Amino acid sequence: MRSEQESRILEEAVAQADSIAIAGHIRPDGDCVGACLGLYNYLQENFNASFEKEITVYMKDIPETFLFLKNSGKPIWEFEEEKQYDLFIVLDCSSGDRLGEAAKYFRSAKHTLCFDHHISNSGHFTEKLVLYPDYSSTCEVLFTCMCEEKISLSTAEALYLGIVHDTGVFKHSNTLEQTMCIAGKLLSKGVDSSKVIDGTFYEKTYIENQILGRCLMESMLLLEGKVILSYLNYKTMRLYNVDPSNLSGIIDQLRVTKGVEVAVFIYEVQPQNLKVSLRSNGKVDVSKTAVFFGGGGHREAAGYDVHGFMHDAINNLLVGLSHQLEEE
Ligand code: AMP
Ligand code: MN
Ligand code: MN
């Protein structure tokens, strides 16, 4: 499962660097947060015993339910004018654009390294791009690049969280035998599986349930029932006082609608700044649609950001999806 060569990539890159930055994509999900904190804990615990290295994680808006992870208070989102890292490690992120403001340190770093599982990853890194598109999550990729004996409970908890979230609790088709083996190895470190799964995936606040109910009620079946779509505009988000981290289960519930091939959920992050989430039940490759609109992802889960009016975004997307449905 673990290749010696790959565990050396991480160790060698870290050994040669005095200052290291770690960052993932904007609006971090479970895999991104798990990977960033899992790697941070792993490096601090094993390669920085006397704190001679400066290790910084850049992350903004960590969902509240993930704050039980060790060192979840460490990530920062403050940027100095002149700063150059020896090593910048990109996690769960397929392009520099999705690093947000942290991209400036990525561009100025002496060395860059990436661990990812997005098939659409097109980045250029000086050290290496460790990309396994068939792995469930970046946390699974990271596990295979770490030395198992050096993984502590706090690192295991973070990696387990990432695997749980990107597999939809081990139910998506990206859950392979290896995924379950790795999850088992993480459990053997003492991870409390129910705490992670119930506490971060299933538990919803009252408002989150209300907004989920509203989105399901207002959803539409389109393209002969092959597509289900729901959306939330900025005004409604403000009315409920919700942010993107409160909307995570909606697309999953849309996707399990019987007879549907593609589920779409769109929300307005800021006025006319739209975030589109796509899920497929297998036949349609939604990463192609997402890449066409400037985003990325995987065959069965992809997304993109678009500027404009909701109705234009929906119309444009439906044209793209109808072509793809015809191709199948
Ligand atoms: P989401 O719908 O945000 O849960 O994202 C589903 C998958 O698509 C994840 O693997 C994301 O990393 C990827 N994805 C979402 N939005 C984008 C984007 N704007 N650019 C590239 N990949 C994206
Ligand atoms: Mn992610
Ligand atoms: Mn991921």
Side-chain angles (χ1 to χ4, degrees):
M1 183 186 295
R2 173 163 56 89
S3 96
E4 281 307 317
Q5 197 195 352
E6 268 157 15
S7 66
R8 278 207 306 273
I9 291 170
L10 179 62
E11 295 199 6
E12 282 171 13
V14 168
Q16 287 160 17
D18 291 329
S19 60
I20 301 168
I22 299 171
H25 59 78
I26 47 166
R27 295 191 299 274
D29 53 17
D31 188 29
C32 184
V33 174
C36 288
L37 291 178
L39 181 62
Y40 179 81
N41 292 339
Y42 181 80
L43 296 184
Q44 288 289 21
E45 288 162 1
N46 297 294
F47 302 92
N48 206 14
S50 48
F51 298 101
E52 72 280 16
K53 290 186 197 293
E54 175 197 356
I55 306 179
T56 310
V57 187
Y58 290 95
M59 226 182 335
K60 191 182 173 212
D61 302 332
I62 301 179
E64 228 176 284
T65 51
F66 301 158
L67 296 180
F68 73 96
L69 292 174
K70 186 178 169 193
N71 285 321
S72 61
K74 286 278 190 302
I76 57 166
W77 201 249
E78 287 146 22
F79 301 91
E80 298 163 29
E81 259 326 296
E82 301 293 325
K83 176 92 199 161
Q84 187 186 38
Y85 284 98
D86 293 336
L87 177 65
F88 192 106
I89 304 178
V90 178
L91 299 171
D92 198 41
C93 183
S94 48
S95 76
D97 304 348
R98 296 197 77 216
L99 287 168
E101 284 172 70
K104 77 177 206 180
Y105 293 157
F106 167 67
R107 284 192 291 267
S108 67
K110 287 185 196 151
H111 297 283
T112 54
L113 175 63
C114 176
F115 298 91
D116 190 23
H117 68 129
H118 290 96
I119 194 152
S120 50
N121 193 313
S122 55
H124 297 286
F125 306 92
T126 65
E127 291 304 291
K128 196 167 161 61
L129 164 63
V130 182
L131 174 66
Y132 288 109
D134 54 339
Y135 281 24
S136 69
S137 50
T138 299
C139 286
E140 187 175 330
V141 177
L142 269 183
F143 178 93
T144 63
C145 298
M146 288 175 173
C147 198
E148 207 178 310
E149 313 78 69
K150 292 182 181 156
I151 296 178
S152 67
L153 171 58
S154 65
T155 300
E157 222 168 22
L159 298 182
Y160 189 79
L161 177 107
I163 295 175
V164 161
H165 277 256
D166 263 19
T167 58
V169 191
F170 308 108
K171 74 176 181 296
H172 298 331
S173 60
N174 59 0
T175 312
L176 304 180
E177 184 184 348
Q178 171 179 285
T179 321
M180 300 303 270
C181 288
I182 292 176
K185 284 172 189 291
L186 296 171
L187 288 184
S188 76
K189 299 279 179 181
V191 174
D192 180 343
S193 177
S194 314
K195 181 179 91 177
V196 176
I197 294 175
D198 276 339
T200 71
F201 197 89
Y202 289 114
E203 199 176 84
K204 300 254 172 271
T205 63
Y206 179 66
I207 293 295
E208 285 168 349
N209 269 333
Q210 277 202 317
I211 203 102
L212 166 68
R214 180 173 169 147
C215 289
L216 296 179
M217 204 168 67
E218 293 182 350
S219 65
M220 299 169 269
L221 281 175
L222 302 159
L223 302 180
E224 296 170 352
K226 298 275 183 249
V227 173
I228 189 164
L229 181 146
S230 192
Y231 64 85
L232 262 184
N233 59 36
Y234 186 70
K235 218 167 124 188
T236 315
M237 287 183 61
R238 291 282 49 84
L239 182 73
Y240 284 86
N241 195 22
V242 288
D243 63 46
S245 71
N246 302 121
L247 310 175
S248 55
I250 297 173
I251 186 78
D252 294 321
Q253 196 55 44
L254 291 170
R255 184 186 67 85
V256 293
T257 310
K258 201 165 178 182
V260 150
E261 294 297 347
V262 177
V264 180
F265 179 58
I266 310 178
Y267 62 82
E268 205 170 11
V269 188
Q270 290 291 324
Q272 293 189 41
N273 177 359
L274 308 171
K275 161 84 183 97
V276 182
S277 281
L278 303 170
R279 297 292 184 272
S280 158
N281 278 324
K283 285 199 183 141
V284 175
D285 181 349
V286 288
S287 79
K288 284 191 191 162
T289 321
V291 167
F292 178 80
F293 288 106
H298 316 276
R299 186 182 166 87
E300 294 180 4
Y304 59 94
D305 294 86
V306 63
H307 195 79
F309 292 112
M310 187 66 79
H311 57 266
D312 289 330
I314 293 174
N315 282 333
N316 294 338
L317 172 60
L318 288 176
V319 173
L321 286 178
S322 66
H323 288 318
Q324 269 202 262
L325 281 162
E326 277 164 21
E327 274 175 28
E328 299 308 324

